[in-house]
Every structure is written in C-alpha cells, then in structure tokens.
Amino acid sequence: MPNLNPIITYARGSIYTQAPYTGYTNPASNTLGATVTVEGWGKRSAREAQAQAEANKQLADMVAETRTIETQAIFNYIDALRTKLLWQSYQEAINGINGLKLAGAAPYKSEFISAQKVLANDLKYYSYGLIGMLNNPDQQLLLPIGSLNIPPKNFVVNDLILHAQENRSDIASNKAAVDSAAANLESVKASKNVDFLPGVFYTETPSYASSGVGYGSQKSFSFLLSIPLGNGFLNDSDMLAATNNIAEQEVNLSSTKTKIAIEINQTYLQYQSAKDRLETAISAYNLAKTSKNSNLQGLLKFRDAEYELIDARTVHAKTLILLERLSGNFEPPNLH
C-alpha cells in the first residue's frame, strides 16, 4: 500500500486565564489543517516488486523442500518393500523345506525362521516411518506392494545435466534468490528518493472591536510543502550490502550448477554398476531356479540367488530414481 501518513490538525486561538489590560482585545481564531505524505518516485513500485520476488523465492524454497521429502518417502517405501520381499523369500524357502522333507534341513529351517523375525521387526520399523509421512498416528501399519522389478534405462550424461539445470527445484530456488536480491537492491535505491509532505491550512478569525475600532472577520488559506532530506544520500552502506547480496546469490547459483554436474556424473557411475549387478543377479537367479526343487542344496542356492536379486533390484531402483530426480524428473516411480 502507498505510504500516506495523513495528519489532521486543529489549533485554537490564545486563551488567557485572566482578563487582559483594559482596551486590549484578544481575537479568537481557529485553524484547521491537513498534511499527507507523498512517497518519492519509484518507492512503492520497488517495494511491490521486492515483495513479489520474495514471495516467489519462498514458493521455490517450498517446492525444493517438497522434492526432498518426496525422495525420502520413496526410499522409505522401497526399504519397507525390500524387507517384505525378503520375508516372503524366506517363507517360500521354509515351505520348500517342509515340502521336500529332507534330512538335515532342520537347522536351515530354524535359521530362516529366526531371520524372518528380524525382518518382521524391520518391516514394522519402516512401516512406522511411512505412517510418519502421512502424519496420522492412528493409521494402521502399511504393507507396501510391488516387486521392485524396474527395467534398466540408458542415459546420456550431458542430457541429464542440461535437463537438471532447467528443471531442478534447487536451481529455481537459487534463481529466485538472485531475483529477490536484485529487487531488494532496487528497493534500497528507491528509498533514497525524497518524500513530499504537502499540507493545506485554513485559518478563520471572527470580527472584533479594539480601542473603538471595528475589525471584520478574516479568513486565510495557506499551502505548505515539506521535503525531508535526512542522511540517505550520505550513507550508502545499505546499497553496498544489497549489492554484495546479489553477488553472493549468483555465486550460490553457480555453485549449485557445478554441484549438479558432479552429482549426476557420480550417480551415473553408480547406476552403471547397479545395472551390471542386476544383470548378474538375474542370470544367477534364472540358473538357480532350474534346480530349486531338486534337493536341499538346490533350494538353498535358489534362496541365496533370490536374496541377491532382491538386493540388486533395490539398489538398482534407488539409484535409478535418484539419478532421475537429480536430473529434474520428479515423476512418481512405478515399482510394479
């Protein structure tokens, strides 16, 4: 809103507590006045632009924080799903042992049951974390669904970096911070512009007589224009601080772009390793599956291969999702 600061004044003529000397007449008078502040040029528009830039920055910060929470929730869900799949793998192995009725299988069955108890506690732990994401303490424990069987993808690192610099939420936040700092500098510059305080006053004196001479009523209008200068032209520390803030935000933006390139290159290398591990795990799983029901060793070998496959799928899923979100792709993943 414009800075107006209206002032209304009323002044009454002199009042004496005792009668003046003989022959003196004190005419009564009334003065009405109004003064208002007229802001210097550019102040209001600069203030409005700064407020809008700051609002945009807060919105960008909120989006960046939202993306971070989303990633945390996705990884928490994957951890819970991995635990569930491992529990099911052990249960299938226990059922296989019961079905084969092989001698010497009892110790392995006890080991699997013991591992299931640990996994059950882990599943509860991650499920409580999912409830925390829902912010509903009365919600029943959640049981994740899916297989983590996400097909591998091929990427071009330079394309990922370019897409990230155009779509990453932290880039948008840094750009909004630069815009906010620039708007703040313009607001500081505009604050140096002088204000004007125009005022209008009306004075009325009624007719009166003094020493036998009669005087008619008097009315007058007056106009006042005040221009407060202050020391804004002499002190420029606020402008230096605002200018330095722009430079700082620009450095932060440049640093974020560099960090993005490093993060994507590092995560890309991790993803290549995760793909290789997944391919090896799938081959071992398919091979072990052929001798799953032949004997105890075949069953144990299959369970180990399935365990490795679940872990390989977990690492692959997490690395793939992280790589995509680092590159600015925030679509919810399909965990099948």
Side-chain angles (χ1 to χ4, degrees):
M1 297 295 294
N3 182 17
L4 299 176
N5 294 328
I7 300 175
I8 298 177
T9 60
Y10 170 72
R12 179 71 175 169
S14 301
I15 299 177
Y16 289 87
T17 58
Q18 61 184 5
Y21 60 87
T22 304
Y24 176 81
T25 299
N26 178 32
S29 65
N30 296 291
T31 300
L32 297 174
T35 303
V36 67
T37 298
V38 178
E39 283 189 293
W41 60 93
K43 282 189 174 182
R44 180 179 178 275
S45 59
R47 189 168 65 247
E48 182 180 5
Q50 181 187 6
Q52 184 60 53
E54 183 62 22
N56 293 338
K57 178 181 178 299
Q58 295 294 331
L59 178 60
D61 290 344
M62 182 194 70
V63 172
E65 180 66 17
T66 300
R67 299 305 185 196
T68 301
I69 296 174
E70 286 176 355
T71 303
Q72 180 183 353
I74 291 171
F75 284 179
N76 196 332
Y77 188 92
I78 290 176
D79 288 335
L81 181 55
R82 169 188 174 272
T83 306
K84 172 193 169 185
L85 293 175
L86 290 176
W87 190 96
Q88 291 176 336
S89 175
Y90 277 110
Q91 185 60 45
E92 185 176 353
I94 293 172
N95 294 338
I97 291 176
N98 292 335
L100 292 175
K101 298 180 180 180
L102 298 174
Y108 294 104
K109 180 179 179 180
S110 299
E111 178 185 345
F112 294 166
I113 293 175
S114 177
Q116 271 192 321
K117 291 181 180 179
V118 176
L119 289 170
N121 286 332
D122 290 343
L123 182 56
K124 289 180 180 180
Y125 174 84
Y126 290 120
S127 295
Y128 277 119
L130 295 177
I131 292 177
M133 293 292 177
L134 297 176
N135 197 27
N136 183 6
D138 297 328
Q139 174 75 38
Q140 292 183 349
L141 290 180
L142 302 175
L143 188 64
I145 58 176
S147 65
L148 294 176
N149 187 16
I150 303 177
K153 295 182 179 180
N154 296 319
F155 299 100
V156 178
V157 175
N158 290 336
D159 293 343
L160 293 176
I161 294 175
L162 180 61
H163 190 268
Q165 292 179 347
E166 294 176 352
N167 297 278
R168 277 271 292 260
S169 54
D170 50 352
I171 286 288
S173 180
N174 284 136
K175 288 181 178 179
V178 173
D179 293 340
S180 178
N184 178 62
L185 176 60
E186 294 303 316
S187 180
V188 172
K189 288 180 179 179
S191 69
K192 306 293 182 180
N193 300 333
V194 297
D195 294 335
F196 299 93
L197 282 74
V200 177
F201 296 88
Y202 169 72
T203 302
E204 180 182 273
T205 302
S207 59
Y208 65 96
S210 178
S211 301
V213 180
Y215 297 90
S217 61
Q218 300 179 15
K219 299 178 182 180
S220 66
F221 286 92
S222 58
F223 177 78
L224 173 68
L225 179 62
S226 299
I227 305 177
L229 297 179
N231 63 348
F233 295 102
L234 303 178
N235 184 0
D236 63 349
S237 61
D238 50 355
M239 291 188 61
L240 290 176
T243 303
N244 291 339
N245 188 33
I246 293 178
E248 180 181 354
Q249 298 305 327
E250 289 176 343
V251 169
N252 290 340
L253 176 59
S254 178
S255 299
T256 300
K257 291 181 178 180
T258 301
K259 183 187 73 172
I260 285 175
I262 294 174
E263 286 178 344
I264 290 179
N265 276 285
Q266 290 176 332
T267 307
Y268 178 78
L269 293 176
Q270 292 177 328
Y271 181 64
Q272 293 301 109
S273 298
K275 283 204 305 182
D276 294 340
R277 179 183 177 183
L278 178 62
E279 183 179 354
T280 302
I282 292 175
S283 299
Y285 175 81
N286 291 332
L287 181 61
K289 192 174 183 180
T290 59
S291 58
K292 171 183 175 182
N293 298 320
S294 59
N295 52 41
L296 179 60
Q297 293 303 319
L299 187 149
L300 295 177
K301 185 177 180 181
F302 174 77
R303 200 215 62 79
D304 290 340
E306 188 175 40
Y307 193 107
E308 171 60 19
L309 178 61
I310 293 173
D311 272 355
R313 284 178 174 177
T314 301
V315 174
H316 174 263
K318 280 188 172 182
T319 311
L320 174 59
I321 293 169
L322 179 60
L323 182 59
E324 289 189 329
R325 295 182 77 84
L326 287 176
S327 64
N329 181 14
F330 301 105
E331 291 294 326
N334 184 0
L335 302 178
H336 298 280

